[in-house]
Amino acid sequence: MKSFVKHSIAFLGFSILTYFILIFIWGSVIPIWLNSNLIYKQRGGHLYSRLSELDKYQNVDVLFLGSSHVYRGFDTRIFKESGVHSFNLGSSSQAPAQSLMLLKKHIDNLQPKKIIFEVCPQSVSSDGIESALDIISNSKIDIQTIKMAIELNHIKVYNTLIYSGIRQLLNLDKDFVEAQQIGKDTYISGGYVQRDDDQFEYKSPLEKNINPEQMAAFKELVSWVKSKDIELILVQAPVTTSEYNSYADNAGFDKLMQEYSSYYNFNTLIKLDDSLHFYDPHHLNQLGVETFNAELIDLLID
């Protein structure tokens, strides 16, 4: 019996080691478009650049948190011109569970006076997989990252965690420098990503339902921030009129958000033109960003 247990443990250890080696080889050789269960996305969204310079930003007045609506919609340069020292910690498809993880990981360094958390129906409907893959690929693997992966319990997340972890252990990315310009995106120090103006073309959006796990994470984030005596402001960034009108219950979502903290829905507070101020249904072009940020700054300063 003891011999069987020893052999079983040895076989299990060998199998795990073999799996790790195969994952590393697979991730290194197979192109991403053929690799559906291992998504190592070190490029796109500029999260690597954002996290690389995070240590330079301490005791900020405002920390922005949320999805691409945030890093494409809150221009830290505009806030700086108004005397507001800010950092943008947005990331692609960031859902509340990932927002909470990033916040716990970096709050001691940033020490924000206020947190502006961008909320929308999509963020609390997400499964968090895309956001987790982005974070794992671009940040240091630690206990918070591993905990996030276990909670999501998804093969893509596990595989990417293993692959990214091995790359970090072998220091394979020591010479990696993310380009400031990627396609039409330009990274701006402080976390903002500027997109060259595009002409908006309408596409029909998809309706989604609230994910109970993300809603639970949202509630935990709100409670955790308030326990730190940090002012929390919930903001719904503007999207195109056609996109916003496609949502099933805007009034109900507004009412839900108002239960948790100060909340501002800029889809109803400012008037923007779909073709003039947006480059796709979800994202403002630079003219739209400047218009939106000016209104938000007025609200913050008042």
Side-chain angles (χ1 to χ4, degrees):
M1 183 65 180
K2 288 183 179 180
S3 177
F4 173 77
V5 171
K6 287 181 179 179
H7 281 87
S8 297
I9 293 174
F11 177 75
L12 178 61
F14 175 77
S15 299
I16 292 173
L17 179 60
T18 301
Y19 185 74
F20 277 34
I21 293 172
L22 290 175
I23 285 293
F24 178 69
I25 295 172
W26 187 266
S28 300
V29 174
I30 304 300
I32 190 170
W33 56 275
L34 285 176
N35 212 341
S36 60
N37 280 328
L38 197 168
I39 310 298
Y40 185 71
K41 44 181 299 183
Q42 199 174 28
R43 293 168 177 80
H46 283 95
L47 182 58
Y48 185 91
S49 297
R50 192 170 295 113
L51 296 177
S52 295
E53 67 168 1
L54 188 144
D55 287 343
K56 298 188 296 184
Y57 287 80
Q58 299 175 349
N59 301 312
V60 297
D61 297 319
V62 176
L63 173 64
F64 300 110
L65 201 63
S67 69
S68 59
H69 290 165
V70 172
Y71 73 77
R72 296 187 185 277
F74 297 81
D75 190 337
T76 51
R77 296 171 299 184
I78 298 174
F79 287 84
K80 184 178 180 180
E81 290 173 359
S82 297
V84 179
H85 179 44
S86 64
F87 188 79
N88 195 317
L89 195 53
S91 65
S92 297
S93 300
Q94 189 182 118
Q98 285 68 52
S99 300
L100 180 60
M101 189 273 283
L102 286 170
L103 192 56
K104 288 182 175 180
K105 197 170 182 176
H106 300 294
I107 191 75
D108 290 338
N109 182 74
L110 292 166
Q111 289 292 311
K113 298 180 180 68
K114 295 180 182 178
I115 292 175
I116 292 183
F117 184 28
E118 198 277 330
V119 294
C120 64
Q122 287 82 1
S123 65
V124 293
S125 303
S126 169
D127 58 14
I129 301 299
E130 182 180 348
S131 176
L133 296 174
D134 187 30
I135 292 170
I136 290 170
S137 300
N138 291 285
S139 64
K140 183 179 179 181
I141 305 298
D142 60 8
I143 190 64
Q144 293 282 0
T145 314
I146 295 171
K147 181 181 177 182
M148 175 186 68
I150 293 172
E151 289 175 349
L152 287 170
N153 195 29
H154 193 280
I155 187 64
K156 284 185 182 180
V157 177
Y158 286 137
N159 287 344
T160 304
L161 179 71
I162 293 168
Y163 179 70
S164 183
I166 294 173
R167 291 188 67 89
Q168 289 184 24
L169 284 172
L170 298 178
N171 205 21
L172 295 179
D173 296 319
K174 62 179 180 179
D175 297 323
F176 174 74
V177 177
E178 188 171 36
Q180 184 179 9
Q181 181 86 32
I182 300 177
K184 296 181 179 180
D185 292 343
T186 303
Y187 182 75
I188 306 299
S189 181
Y192 175 63
V193 175
Q194 179 175 320
R195 167 65 72 97
D196 294 341
D197 290 355
D198 284 330
Q199 183 178 357
F200 168 69
E201 296 180 7
Y202 174 75
K203 293 182 180 179
S204 179
L206 298 174
E207 293 187 4
K208 297 182 179 180
N209 297 316
I210 287 179
N211 183 328
E213 293 179 356
Q214 293 298 344
M215 194 61 206
F218 168 79
K219 293 177 182 178
E220 183 182 352
L221 185 149
V222 171
S223 176
W224 190 81
V225 169
K226 290 184 176 180
S227 73
K228 299 289 184 180
D229 292 324
I230 300 172
E231 182 180 355
L232 177 65
I233 300 172
L234 306 178
V235 168
Q236 186 172 175
V239 295
T240 60
T241 303
S242 53
E243 174 73 17
Y244 184 68
N245 288 339
S246 74
Y247 299 159
D249 187 11
N250 288 314
F253 185 78
D254 287 349
K255 184 178 180 181
L256 177 65
M257 292 297 105
Q258 288 165 356
E259 294 177 4
Y260 294 97
S261 193
S262 299
Y263 168 71
Y264 302 93
N265 183 351
F266 278 87
N267 291 285
T268 61
L269 292 175
I270 58 175
K271 182 65 175 178
L272 298 173
D273 184 279
D274 284 5
S275 60
L276 183 62
H277 294 107
F278 295 86
Y279 71 82
D280 72 15
H282 283 278
H283 302 108
L284 296 159
N285 59 28
Q286 191 59 25
L287 177 61
V289 169
E290 291 169 2
T291 304
F292 165 49
N293 287 188
E295 294 290 334
L296 180 56
I297 288 168
D298 285 344
L299 184 151
L300 288 175
I301 293 177
D302 292 344

